Amino acid sequence: MRLRPNLHDLYVGRVVLATVLLTWAVLVGLDLVMALSNEVSDIGKGNYTFGHAVAWLAYTVPRRAYTMFPTAAVIGSLMGLGQLAASSELTALRALGLSRRRLSISVAAALGILTALMVFSGETLGPWGQRQADVLKNSARSGDVAVDRFSGLWAREGNTFMYAQSGEERKEDGRNWLQLRDVRLYELAPDGRLASIAHAATAEHLEGHWLLKNVRRTTFHARSVTQQQVLGERWESKLDAAVLSSGLTKARNLPTRELGQNIDYRKRNGLDAREYEDLYWSRWFYPLNVLALCLAAIPFAFGSLRSGGMGKRLFLGIIFAVSFWALQLQFVRLASAFHMDFRLAYAMPPILLLAVSAWMFRRRSA
């Protein structure tokens, strides 16, 4: 079988790409409208305005496009192939000698280009845009908190500046609290000079106060410097843990490389890394999910999509997408609950879908 594209491949790919792009635009647009309606409730908090909300949405478009693409791909593929089937163009292409396998390769190749672009965007534009959106929102809502891509999180209360290298929201025994790691507190004297520096391994916000652990404090006097080290110290501060938490980069917004680094860090220190492993392997199986969804939809183009309008194709596409994501979600939850390998959880649904697709191809060819 000749793999070099011909006019028939380009025609099928163009039709499928057009319907996928249209579906993709509609889904992302609906997601943006719903997100904007949620942001309206935050307008007026601090200096957060409608203009900030629109800018925040604009920064999040690459991430939303990445998330919506697999669903748009399967719905758009069904609608494009259904359009070709309804006009008997698929039948004509088959009469010219194009096999079902060749038509499937045409569709997969066209979608492969968009999938590659989405993988690249998911590792570059998506995380960057989300970080910019978080910086914009947090700086507008609270002038005392700033987030930087390379410098962690900075916060200020009075004459004390706090810097945290990283942090997370922790949950244990029904309790939720914020934990910051590698924390430094810089206290300024009334005349502007540096009065003291405190370095804490962690800072936890518990029951309305901050607890610093493994603290080394250096105090600068007029003619001398003293150091003190304690295992634990209570820090009376009114810094809002919720605001600080929103300033931290969420795990789902990290690129794959940084997810891998977090997994290594947590395993070395005996921490739970399941959330990061879940997200890490979901990125690796993203292209396979798109391919499996679209290939599983192709057999319908040679049968049930020949009759029926756009509503039927749209319904089938939604059923395919929702069923697949529900199945994968169940596998992932089982893997998390029973401490199974997430690679197995993410591999099983697309493999099952591809097996069903192959069976349907053989059945229709018989």
Side-chain angles (χ1 to χ4, degrees), residues 287-297 324 349-351 353-354 357:
L288 181 60
N289 288 340
V290 176
L291 179 65
L293 273 169
C294 296
L295 288 182
F324 178 81
I351 289 175
L353 206 57
L354 289 173
S357 175

Side-chain angles (χ1 to χ4, degrees), residues 101-148:
R101 182 180 300 177
R102 180 70 189 207
L103 291 171
S104 301
I105 292 176
S106 301
V107 175
L111 292 176
I113 297 172
L114 288 180
T115 303
L117 291 175
M118 278 299 95
V119 170
F120 176 77
S121 175
E123 295 300 308
T124 55
L125 289 178
W128 174 84
Q130 189 61 50
R131 286 193 177 100
Q132 296 301 315
D134 292 339
V135 170
L136 174 70
K137 186 172 185 178
N138 291 313
S139 61
R141 292 179 56 183
S142 176
D144 294 333
V145 179
V147 185
D148 185 76

